[in-house]
Amino acid sequence: MVDPPKFGERKKKVILFSLDEIDILLNTSEKKLKNFLGISFFTGMRSTELLALKWDDVDFATDTVSITKLFLRVT
């Protein structure tokens, strides 16, 4: 069993990419990876949500993406 965090316990500091770093990554990536990274950086979707996306989930008329499933790898 996992112990819950203690009150006042510090969490690990998360270091985010700066906008300049994101710009470098997007400008030096190949098209498919560039699209994946762009959606990742600017939507907050989890990788399992991104990997499960289908074109039916994207609505260009309303500029929305519907998250309806997760990509789960079964071994």
Side-chain angles (χ1 to χ4, degrees):
M1 183 176 275
V2 176
D3 293 328
K6 296 179 178 126
F7 180 73
E9 184 177 316
R10 289 187 176 206
K11 294 181 181 180
K12 290 182 181 178
K13 184 177 181 181
V14 177
I15 300 173
L16 304 175
F17 287 106
S18 69
L19 287 177
D20 288 336
E21 292 169 327
I22 291 171
D23 190 46
I24 291 167
L25 283 168
L26 294 177
N27 286 326
T28 57
S29 298
E30 294 182 20
K31 187 174 183 173
K32 287 183 181 182
L33 180 59
K34 181 178 186 171
N35 294 337
F36 182 83
L37 291 174
I39 294 170
S40 299
F41 285 129
F42 297 112
T43 65
M45 280 190 211
R46 297 176 183 99
S47 57
T48 55
E49 295 167 338
L50 283 165
L51 292 170
L53 286 178
K54 304 281 186 196
W55 282 112
D56 293 342
D57 299 321
V58 180
D59 186 342
F60 290 102
T62 60
D63 292 331
T64 58
V65 177
S66 299
I67 302 169
T68 59
K69 57 197 159 299
L70 299 175
F71 176 82
L72 300 175
R73 183 177 171 202
V74 179
T75 56

Coordinates of all heavy atoms in Angstrom, one line a residue:
M1 N 0.8 -1.2 0.0 CA 0.0 0.0 0.0 C 0.9 1.2 0.0 O 2.0 1.3 0.6 CB -0.9 0.0 1.2 CG -1.9 1.2 1.2 SD -3.0 1.1 2.6 CE -4.3 0.1 1.9
V2 N 0.4 2.3 -0.6 CA 1.2 3.5 -0.7 C 0.7 4.5 0.3 O -0.5 4.7 0.5 CB 1.0 4.2 -2.1 CG1 1.7 5.5 -2.2 CG2 1.5 3.2 -3.2
D3 N 1.7 5.1 1.0 CA 1.3 6.0 2.1 C 1.0 7.4 1.4 O 1.7 7.8 0.5 CB 2.5 6.2 3.0 CG 2.8 5.0 3.9 OD1 1.8 4.3 4.2 OD2 4.0 4.8 4.2
P4 N -0.1 8.0 1.9 CA -0.4 9.3 1.4 C 0.7 10.3 1.8 O 1.4 10.2 2.7 CB -1.7 9.7 2.0 CG -1.8 8.8 3.3 CD -1.0 7.6 3.0
P5 N 0.8 11.4 1.0 CA 1.8 12.4 1.3 C 1.5 13.1 2.7 O 0.3 13.2 3.0 CB 1.7 13.4 0.2 CG 0.5 13.1 -0.6 CD 0.1 11.7 -0.2
K6 N 2.5 13.4 3.4 CA 2.3 14.1 4.7 C 2.0 15.5 4.5 O 2.5 16.2 3.5 CB 3.6 13.9 5.5 CG 3.9 12.5 5.9 CD 5.1 12.3 6.7 CE 5.3 10.9 7.0 NZ 6.6 10.3 6.7
F7 N 1.2 16.1 5.4 CA 0.9 17.5 5.3 C 2.1 18.3 5.3 O 3.0 18.2 6.1 CB 0.0 17.9 6.5 CG -0.4 19.3 6.5 CD1 -1.4 19.8 5.5 CD2 0.1 20.2 7.3 CE1 -1.7 21.1 5.5 CE2 -0.2 21.6 7.3 CZ -1.1 22.0 6.4
G8 N 2.2 19.3 4.4 CA 3.4 20.2 4.3 C 4.6 19.6 3.6 O 5.6 20.2 3.5
E9 N 4.4 18.3 3.2 CA 5.6 17.7 2.5 C 5.7 18.3 1.1 O 4.8 18.6 0.4 CB 5.2 16.2 2.3 CG 6.4 15.4 1.7 CD 6.0 13.9 1.6 OE1 5.5 13.4 2.6 OE2 6.3 13.3 0.6
R10 N 7.0 18.6 0.8 CA 7.2 19.3 -0.5 C 7.2 18.2 -1.6 O 7.8 17.2 -1.5 CB 8.6 19.9 -0.4 CG 8.6 21.2 0.4 CD 9.9 21.9 0.3 NE 9.9 23.1 1.0 CZ 10.6 24.1 0.8 NH1 11.4 24.1 -0.2 NH2 10.5 25.2 1.5
K11 N 6.6 18.6 -2.7 CA 6.6 17.8 -3.9 C 7.8 18.1 -4.7 O 8.4 19.2 -4.5 CB 5.3 18.1 -4.7 CG 4.0 17.7 -4.0 CD 2.9 18.0 -4.9 CE 1.6 17.6 -4.2 NZ 0.4 17.9 -5.1
K12 N 8.2 17.2 -5.6 CA 9.3 17.5 -6.4 C 9.0 18.7 -7.3 O 7.9 18.9 -7.8 CB 9.6 16.3 -7.3 CG 10.2 15.1 -6.6 CD 10.5 14.0 -7.5 CE 11.0 12.8 -6.8 NZ 11.3 11.7 -7.7
K13 N 10.0 19.5 -7.5 CA 9.8 20.7 -8.4 C 9.7 20.3 -9.8 O 10.6 19.5 -10.3 CB 10.9 21.7 -8.2 CG 10.7 23.0 -8.9 CD 11.8 24.0 -8.6 CE 11.6 25.2 -9.4 NZ 12.6 26.2 -9.2
V14 N 8.7 20.7 -10.5 CA 8.5 20.4 -11.9 C 9.2 21.5 -12.7 O 8.9 22.7 -12.5 CB 7.0 20.2 -12.3 CG1 6.9 20.0 -13.8 CG2 6.4 19.1 -11.5
I15 N 10.1 21.1 -13.6 CA 10.7 22.1 -14.5 C 10.0 22.1 -15.9 O 10.1 21.0 -16.5 CB 12.2 21.9 -14.6 CG1 12.8 22.0 -13.2 CG2 12.8 22.9 -15.6 CD1 14.3 21.6 -13.2
L16 N 9.4 23.1 -16.2 CA 8.6 23.2 -17.5 C 9.5 23.7 -18.6 O 10.5 24.4 -18.4 CB 7.4 24.0 -17.4 CG 6.4 23.7 -16.3 CD1 5.3 24.7 -16.2 CD2 5.9 22.3 -16.5
F17 N 9.2 23.4 -19.9 CA 9.9 24.0 -21.0 C 9.5 25.5 -21.1 O 8.3 25.8 -20.9 CB 9.5 23.3 -22.3 CG 10.0 21.9 -22.4 CD1 9.2 20.8 -22.3 CD2 11.4 21.8 -22.8 CE1 9.8 19.6 -22.5 CE2 11.9 20.5 -22.9 CZ 11.1 19.4 -22.8
S18 N 10.4 26.3 -21.4 CA 10.1 27.7 -21.7 C 9.5 27.8 -23.1 O 9.6 26.9 -23.9 CB 11.4 28.6 -21.6 OG 12.2 28.3 -22.7
L19 N 8.9 28.9 -23.4 CA 8.3 29.1 -24.8 C 9.4 29.0 -25.8 O 9.2 28.5 -26.9 CB 7.5 30.4 -24.9 CG 6.2 30.3 -24.1 CD1 5.5 31.7 -24.2 CD2 5.2 29.3 -24.7
D20 N 10.6 29.6 -25.5 CA 11.7 29.5 -26.5 C 12.1 28.1 -26.7 O 12.4 27.7 -27.8 CB 12.9 30.3 -25.9 CG 12.7 31.8 -26.0 OD1 11.8 32.3 -26.8 OD2 13.3 32.5 -25.2
E21 N 12.2 27.2 -25.7 CA 12.5 25.8 -25.8 C 11.5 25.1 -26.6 O 11.8 24.2 -27.5 CB 12.7 25.2 -24.4 CG 13.9 25.7 -23.7 CD 14.0 25.3 -22.2 OE1 12.9 25.2 -21.6 OE2 15.1 25.1 -21.7
I22 N 10.2 25.4 -26.4 CA 9.1 24.7 -27.1 C 9.3 25.1 -28.6 O 9.1 24.3 -29.5 CB 7.8 25.2 -26.6 CG1 7.6 24.5 -25.2 CG2 6.6 24.7 -27.5 CD1 6.3 25.0 -24.5
D23 N 9.5 26.4 -28.9 CA 9.7 26.9 -30.2 C 10.8 26.1 -30.9 O 10.7 25.7 -32.1 CB 10.0 28.4 -30.2 CG 9.9 29.0 -31.6 OD1 9.0 28.7 -32.3 OD2 10.8 29.8 -31.9
I24 N 12.0 25.9 -30.2 CA 13.1 25.2 -30.8 C 12.7 23.8 -31.1 O 13.0 23.2 -32.2 CB 14.3 25.2 -29.9 CG1 14.9 26.7 -29.8 CG2 15.4 24.2 -30.3 CD1 15.9 26.9 -28.7
L25 N 12.0 23.1 -30.2 CA 11.6 21.7 -30.4 C 10.7 21.6 -31.6 O 10.8 20.7 -32.4 CB 10.9 21.2 -29.1 CG 11.9 20.8 -28.0 CD1 11.0 20.5 -26.7 CD2 12.6 19.5 -28.3
L26 N 9.7 22.5 -31.7 CA 8.7 22.4 -32.7 C 9.4 22.7 -34.1 O 9.0 22.1 -35.1 CB 7.5 23.3 -32.5 CG 6.7 23.0 -31.3 CD1 5.6 24.0 -31.1 CD2 6.1 21.6 -31.4
N27 N 10.3 23.7 -34.1 CA 10.9 24.1 -35.4 C 11.9 23.1 -35.9 O 12.3 23.1 -37.1 CB 11.5 25.5 -35.3 CG 10.4 26.5 -35.3 OD1 9.4 26.4 -35.9 ND2 10.7 27.6 -34.5
T28 N 12.4 22.2 -35.0 CA 13.4 21.2 -35.5 C 12.9 19.8 -35.5 O 13.6 18.9 -35.8 CB 14.6 21.3 -34.5 OG1 14.2 21.0 -33.2 CG2 15.3 22.6 -34.6
S29 N 11.6 19.6 -35.3 CA 11.0 18.3 -35.4 C 10.4 18.0 -36.7 O 9.9 18.9 -37.4 CB 9.9 18.2 -34.3 OG 10.4 18.4 -33.0
E30 N 10.3 16.7 -37.1 CA 9.7 16.3 -38.3 C 8.2 16.5 -38.1 O 7.7 16.5 -37.0 CB 10.0 14.9 -38.6 CG 11.5 14.7 -39.0 CD 11.8 13.3 -39.4 OE1 10.9 12.5 -39.7 OE2 13.0 12.9 -39.3
K31 N 7.4 16.5 -39.2 CA 6.0 16.9 -39.2 C 5.2 16.1 -38.2 O 4.4 16.7 -37.4 CB 5.4 16.7 -40.6 CG 4.0 17.2 -40.7 CD 3.5 17.2 -42.1 CE 2.1 17.8 -42.1 NZ 1.5 18.0 -43.4
K32 N 5.2 14.7 -38.2 CA 4.3 14.0 -37.3 C 4.7 14.2 -35.8 O 3.8 14.4 -35.0 CB 4.4 12.5 -37.6 CG 3.7 12.1 -38.9 CD 3.8 10.6 -39.1 CE 3.0 10.3 -40.4 NZ 3.0 8.8 -40.6
L33 N 6.0 14.3 -35.5 CA 6.4 14.5 -34.1 C 6.1 16.0 -33.8 O 5.7 16.2 -32.6 CB 7.9 14.3 -34.0 CG 8.5 14.5 -32.6 CD1 7.8 13.7 -31.6 CD2 10.0 14.3 -32.6
K34 N 6.2 16.9 -34.7 CA 5.9 18.3 -34.5 C 4.4 18.4 -34.1 O 4.1 19.2 -33.1 CB 6.2 19.1 -35.7 CG 5.9 20.6 -35.6 CD 6.3 21.3 -36.9 CE 6.2 22.8 -36.7 NZ 6.8 23.5 -37.9
N35 N 3.5 17.8 -34.8 CA 2.1 17.8 -34.5 C 1.8 17.2 -33.1 O 1.1 17.8 -32.3 CB 1.3 17.1 -35.5 CG 1.3 17.7 -36.9 OD1 1.6 18.9 -37.0 ND2 1.1 17.0 -37.9
F36 N 2.4 16.1 -32.8 CA 2.3 15.5 -31.5 C 2.7 16.4 -30.4 O 2.0 16.6 -29.4 CB 3.0 14.1 -31.5 CG 2.9 13.4 -30.2 CD1 1.7 12.6 -30.0 CD2 3.8 13.4 -29.2 CE1 1.6 11.8 -28.8 CE2 3.7 12.7 -28.0 CZ 2.6 11.9 -27.8
L37 N 3.9 16.9 -30.5 CA 4.5 17.8 -29.5 C 3.7 19.1 -29.3 O 3.4 19.5 -28.2 CB 5.9 18.2 -29.8 CG 7.0 17.0 -29.7 CD1 8.3 17.5 -30.2 CD2 7.0 16.5 -28.3
G38 N 3.2 19.6 -30.5 CA 2.4 20.9 -30.4 C 1.1 20.7 -29.6 O 0.8 21.5 -28.7
I39 N 0.4 19.6 -29.9 CA -0.8 19.3 -29.2 C -0.5 19.0 -27.7 O -1.2 19.4 -26.8 CB -1.5 18.1 -29.8 CG1 -2.0 18.5 -31.2 CG2 -2.7 17.6 -29.0 CD1 -2.6 17.3 -32.0
S40 N 0.6 18.3 -27.5 CA 1.0 18.0 -26.1 C 1.3 19.2 -25.3 O 0.8 19.4 -24.2 CB 2.3 17.1 -26.1 OG 2.1 15.9 -26.7
F41 N 2.1 20.1 -25.8 CA 2.5 21.3 -25.1 C 1.3 22.3 -24.8 O 1.2 22.9 -23.8 CB 3.5 22.1 -25.8 CG 4.9 21.5 -25.8 CD1 5.6 21.2 -26.9 CD2 5.5 21.1 -24.6 CE1 6.9 20.7 -26.9 CE2 6.7 20.5 -24.5 CZ 7.4 20.3 -25.7
F42 N 0.4 22.4 -25.8 CA -0.6 23.4 -25.7 C -2.0 23.0 -25.3 O -2.9 23.8 -25.1 CB -0.6 24.3 -27.0 CG 0.7 24.9 -27.2 CD1 1.5 24.5 -28.3 CD2 1.1 25.9 -26.4 CE1 2.7 25.1 -28.5 CE2 2.4 26.6 -26.6 CZ 3.2 26.2 -27.7
T43 N -2.2 21.7 -25.1 CA -3.6 21.3 -24.6 C -3.6 20.7 -23.2 O -4.6 20.7 -22.6 CB -4.1 20.2 -25.6 OG1 -3.3 19.0 -25.5 CG2 -4.3 20.7 -27.0
G44 N -2.4 20.2 -22.8 CA -2.4 19.6 -21.4 C -2.9 18.1 -21.5 O -3.1 17.5 -20.4
M45 N -3.1 17.6 -22.6 CA -3.6 16.2 -22.7 C -2.5 15.2 -22.2 O -1.3 15.5 -22.4 CB -3.9 15.8 -24.2 CG -5.2 16.2 -24.7 SD -5.4 15.4 -26.3 CE -6.4 16.6 -27.1
R46 N -2.9 14.1 -21.7 CA -1.9 13.1 -21.3 C -1.5 12.3 -22.5 O -2.3 12.3 -23.5 CB -2.6 12.1 -20.3 CG -3.0 12.8 -19.0 CD -3.8 11.7 -18.2 NE -4.3 12.3 -17.0 CZ -5.5 12.8 -16.8 NH1 -6.4 12.7 -17.7 NH2 -5.9 13.3 -15.6
S47 N -0.4 11.7 -22.5 CA 0.1 11.0 -23.6 C -0.8 9.8 -24.0 O -1.0 9.6 -25.2 CB 1.5 10.4 -23.4 OG 1.5 9.6 -22.3
T48 N -1.5 9.2 -23.1 CA -2.4 8.1 -23.4 C -3.7 8.6 -24.1 O -4.3 7.9 -24.9 CB -2.9 7.3 -22.1 OG1 -3.4 8.2 -21.2 CG2 -1.7 6.6 -21.5
E49 N -4.0 9.9 -23.8 CA -5.2 10.5 -24.5 C -4.8 10.9 -25.9 O -5.5 10.7 -26.9 CB -5.6 11.7 -23.7 CG -6.2 11.4 -22.4 CD -6.4 12.6 -21.5 OE1 -5.7 13.7 -21.7 OE2 -7.2 12.5 -20.5
L50 N -3.6 11.4 -26.1 CA -3.1 11.8 -27.4 C -3.0 10.6 -28.3 O -3.4 10.6 -29.5 CB -1.7 12.5 -27.3 CG -1.7 13.9 -26.8 CD1 -0.3 14.3 -26.4 CD2 -2.3 14.8 -27.9
L51 N -2.4 9.5 -27.8 CA -2.2 8.3 -28.6 C -3.5 7.7 -29.0 O -3.5 6.9 -30.0 CB -1.3 7.3 -27.9 CG 0.2 7.8 -27.7 CD1 0.9 6.9 -26.7 CD2 0.9 7.9 -29.0
A52 N -4.6 7.9 -28.3 CA -5.8 7.3 -28.6 C -6.7 8.1 -29.6 O -7.7 7.7 -30.1 CB -6.6 7.1 -27.3
L53 N -6.2 9.3 -29.9 CA -7.0 10.2 -30.8 C -7.2 9.6 -32.2 O -6.3 9.0 -32.8 CB -6.3 11.6 -30.9 CG -6.4 12.5 -29.8 CD1 -5.7 13.8 -30.1 CD2 -7.9 12.8 -29.4
K54 N -8.4 9.8 -32.7 CA -8.7 9.5 -34.1 C -9.2 10.8 -34.8 O -9.6 11.7 -34.1 CB -9.8 8.4 -34.2 CG -9.5 7.2 -33.5 CD -8.6 6.3 -34.3 CE -8.5 5.0 -33.5 NZ -7.4 4.2 -34.0
W55 N -9.2 10.8 -36.1 CA -9.6 12.0 -36.8 C -11.1 12.3 -36.5 O -11.5 13.5 -36.5 CB -9.5 11.8 -38.3 CG -8.1 12.1 -38.8 CD1 -7.2 11.1 -39.2 CD2 -7.3 13.3 -38.7 NE1 -6.0 11.7 -39.5 CE2 -6.0 13.0 -39.1 CE3 -7.6 14.6 -38.3 CZ2 -5.0 14.0 -39.2 CZ3 -6.7 15.6 -38.3 CH2 -5.4 15.3 -38.8
D56 N -11.9 11.3 -36.1 CA -13.3 11.6 -35.7 C -13.4 12.4 -34.5 O -14.4 13.0 -34.2 CB -14.0 10.3 -35.5 CG -14.2 9.5 -36.8 OD1 -14.1 10.1 -37.9 OD2 -14.5 8.3 -36.7
D57 N -12.3 12.4 -33.7 CA -12.3 13.2 -32.4 C -12.0 14.7 -32.6 O -12.1 15.5 -31.7 CB -11.2 12.6 -31.5 CG -11.5 11.2 -31.1 OD1 -12.7 10.8 -30.9 OD2 -10.5 10.4 -31.0
V58 N -11.6 15.0 -33.8 CA -11.2 16.4 -34.1 C -12.3 17.1 -34.9 O -12.8 16.6 -35.9 CB -9.9 16.5 -34.9 CG1 -9.5 17.9 -35.3 CG2 -8.8 15.8 -34.2
D59 N -12.8 18.2 -34.4 CA -13.9 19.0 -35.1 C -13.3 20.3 -35.5 O -13.1 21.2 -34.7 CB -15.1 19.2 -34.2 CG -16.2 19.8 -34.9 OD1 -16.1 20.5 -35.9 OD2 -17.3 19.7 -34.3
F60 N -12.9 20.5 -36.8 CA -12.3 21.7 -37.3 C -13.3 22.9 -37.3 O -12.9 24.0 -37.3 CB -11.7 21.5 -38.6 CG -10.4 20.6 -38.5 CD1 -10.5 19.3 -38.9 CD2 -9.2 21.1 -38.1 CE1 -9.4 18.5 -38.9 CE2 -8.1 20.3 -38.0 CZ -8.2 19.0 -38.4
A61 N -14.6 22.6 -37.4 CA -15.6 23.6 -37.5 C -15.7 24.4 -36.1 O -16.0 25.6 -36.1 CB -17.0 23.0 -37.8
T62 N -15.6 23.6 -35.0 CA -15.7 24.3 -33.7 C -14.3 24.4 -33.0 O -14.2 24.8 -31.9 CB -16.6 23.5 -32.8 OG1 -16.1 22.1 -32.7 CG2 -18.0 23.4 -33.4
D63 N -13.2 23.9 -33.7 CA -11.9 24.0 -33.2 C -11.8 23.2 -31.8 O -11.3 23.7 -30.8 CB -11.4 25.4 -33.0 CG -11.1 26.1 -34.3 OD1 -10.8 25.4 -35.3 OD2 -11.2 27.3 -34.4
T64 N -12.4 22.0 -31.8 CA -12.4 21.2 -30.6 C -11.8 19.8 -30.8 O -11.9 19.3 -31.9 CB -13.8 21.1 -30.0 OG1 -14.6 20.5 -30.9 CG2 -14.3 22.4 -29.5
V65 N -11.3 19.2 -29.8 CA -10.9 17.9 -29.8 C -11.6 17.2 -28.7 O -11.5 17.6 -27.5 CB -9.3 17.7 -29.6 CG1 -8.9 16.3 -29.6 CG2 -8.6 18.5 -30.7
S66 N -12.3 16.1 -29.0 CA -13.0 15.3 -27.9 C -12.1 14.2 -27.4 O -11.6 13.4 -28.2 CB -14.3 14.7 -28.5 OG -15.1 15.8 -28.9
I67 N -11.9 14.1 -26.1 CA -11.2 13.0 -25.5 C -12.2 12.0 -25.0 O -12.9 12.3 -24.0 CB -10.3 13.6 -24.4 CG1 -9.4 14.6 -24.9 CG2 -9.5 12.4 -23.7 CD1 -8.6 15.4 -23.8
T68 N -12.3 10.9 -25.6 CA -13.3 9.9 -25.3 C -12.7 8.5 -24.9 O -13.4 7.7 -24.5 CB -14.2 9.7 -26.5 OG1 -13.5 9.2 -27.6 CG2 -15.0 11.0 -26.8
K69 N -11.4 8.4 -25.0 CA -10.8 7.1 -24.7 C -9.3 7.3 -24.4 O -8.7 8.4 -24.6 CB -10.9 6.2 -25.9 CG -10.4 6.7 -27.2 CD -10.9 5.9 -28.4 CE -10.8 6.6 -29.7 NZ -11.5 7.9 -29.8
L70 N -8.7 6.3 -23.9 CA -7.3 6.2 -23.6 C -6.6 5.1 -24.4 O -7.2 4.1 -24.6 CB -7.1 6.0 -22.1 CG -7.6 6.9 -21.1 CD1 -7.4 6.4 -19.7 CD2 -7.0 8.3 -21.3
F71 N -5.4 5.4 -24.7 CA -4.6 4.3 -25.3 C -3.9 3.5 -24.2 O -3.2 4.0 -23.4 CB -3.5 5.0 -26.2 CG -2.5 3.9 -26.8 CD1 -2.9 3.3 -28.0 CD2 -1.3 3.6 -26.3 CE1 -2.1 2.4 -28.6 CE2 -0.5 2.7 -26.8 CZ -0.9 2.1 -28.0
L72 N -4.3 2.2 -24.2 CA -3.8 1.4 -23.1 C -3.1 0.2 -23.8 O -3.7 -0.5 -24.6 CB -4.9 0.8 -22.2 CG -5.6 1.9 -21.4 CD1 -6.7 1.3 -20.6 CD2 -4.6 2.7 -20.5
R73 N -1.8 0.0 -23.5 CA -1.1 -1.1 -24.1 C -1.3 -2.3 -23.3 O -1.0 -2.3 -22.1 CB 0.4 -0.7 -24.3 CG 1.2 -1.8 -24.9 CD 2.6 -1.3 -25.0 NE 3.4 -2.5 -25.5 CZ 4.7 -2.6 -25.3 NH1 5.3 -1.6 -24.8 NH2 5.3 -3.6 -25.8
V74 N -1.8 -3.4 -23.9 CA -2.0 -4.6 -23.1 C -0.8 -5.6 -23.5 O -0.6 -5.8 -24.7 CB -3.3 -5.3 -23.5 CG1 -3.5 -6.6 -22.7 CG2 -4.4 -4.3 -23.1
T75 N -0.1 -6.1 -22.5 CA 1.0 -7.0 -22.8 C 0.7 -8.4 -22.4 O -0.2 -8.7 -21.7 CB 2.3 -6.6 -22.0 OG1 2.0 -6.5 -20.6 CG2 2.8 -5.2 -22.5

